[in-house]
Amino acid sequence: MHELELCFQPAHELVRRIKARELSALEVMDAHLAQIGRINPSVNAIVTLLPERARAGAAAIDAALDRGEDPGVHALAAEAYLASGDLSGAVRHFERAKALSPANTGIQTRLAQVRFAAGDATRAIAELETASAGNAQDYQADLALIAAHLRQREADKALTAILGLETKQPNHPLTHNLRGGALLLKGD
């Protein structure tokens, strides 16, 4: 396949072909960098181009594939499916990434967000509760859980989740603002 053709393939198809070792991630990255080099001078869409970092990331994906399954590769594949609108493909790959790295709260949080987008709020909240309890340093899952409860107008559940966040971020102003929002929702 000509390098220009690679630039117009759907992301999920490129991920599939990279994972099948039909293409390397570095080959795909080089094709895109070449396209940027051809087009960007006239459109000036990319102000800061860091090709070394981009190529290093692509090489890391190839190396991970050479070593066997890697949760990051599955998370990348999930993002590609999500970008193309394939929620079930995204869920499938985030689930694989989670199975390979069950303590990774970032993957759990992202899986929950995709479950919300797919209309599976019950499983999404369960994912967020697990992620929230799993890492005392990371509070992204806590924020997503609180936001979900507030969106569903569940003030008491939001307040319970805020208590968990307060243990992680006791002096953060956002914690106090969220508590105030939940209390307003509750009518207190």
Side-chain angles (χ1 to χ4, degrees):
M1 177 176 283
H2 186 268
E3 75 174 18
L4 188 58
E5 292 176 40
L6 290 178
C7 297
F8 296 98
Q9 293 291 306
H12 65 87
E13 178 63 17
L14 291 173
V15 169
R16 183 196 65 75
R17 293 184 65 200
I18 290 168
K19 287 176 64 178
R21 307 308 274 164
E22 296 171 16
L23 297 168
S24 72
L26 192 56
E27 182 180 1
V28 172
M29 181 57 65
D30 285 340
H32 282 84
L33 289 170
Q35 178 70 352
I36 291 168
R38 284 188 291 274
I39 301 298
N40 198 54
S42 62
V43 297
N44 199 28
I46 299 175
V47 177
T48 304
L49 181 62
L50 304 169
E52 300 82 21
R53 286 189 188 176
R55 293 187 88 248
I61 289 172
D62 287 334
L65 286 170
D66 289 342
R67 290 188 307 267
E69 281 198 294
D70 178 90
V73 171
H74 284 291
L76 175 63
E79 292 294 348
Y81 279 100
L82 186 59
S84 69
D86 183 348
L87 295 177
S88 64
V91 167
R92 187 174 61 252
H93 281 281
F94 275 125
E95 285 174 343
R96 285 186 191 163
K98 179 186 168 191
L100 291 167
S101 184
N104 186 322
T105 57
I107 289 173
Q108 290 175 330
T109 301
R110 196 68 175 125
L111 173 57
Q113 291 169 334
V114 175
R115 287 194 195 284
F116 274 121
D120 191 354
T122 302
R123 288 179 73 188
I125 287 177
E127 291 286 352
L128 290 174
E129 288 171 343
T130 301
S132 175
N135 186 334
Q137 309 306 318
D138 183 9
Y139 58 93
Q140 294 304 310
D142 298 85
L143 293 174
L145 180 61
I146 293 163
H149 287 312
L150 290 173
R151 269 193 307 274
Q152 294 179 348
R153 307 193 61 73
E154 298 171 333
D156 289 331
K157 289 181 180 181
L159 287 166
T160 300
I162 290 166
L163 285 174
L165 178 61
E166 286 176 337
T167 62
K168 296 177 183 181
Q169 296 288 316
N171 298 319
H172 197 292
L174 182 57
T175 305
H176 304 298
N177 289 341
L178 289 168
R179 175 174 290 290
L183 290 171
L184 283 172
L185 176 63
K186 188 175 178 176
D188 284 354

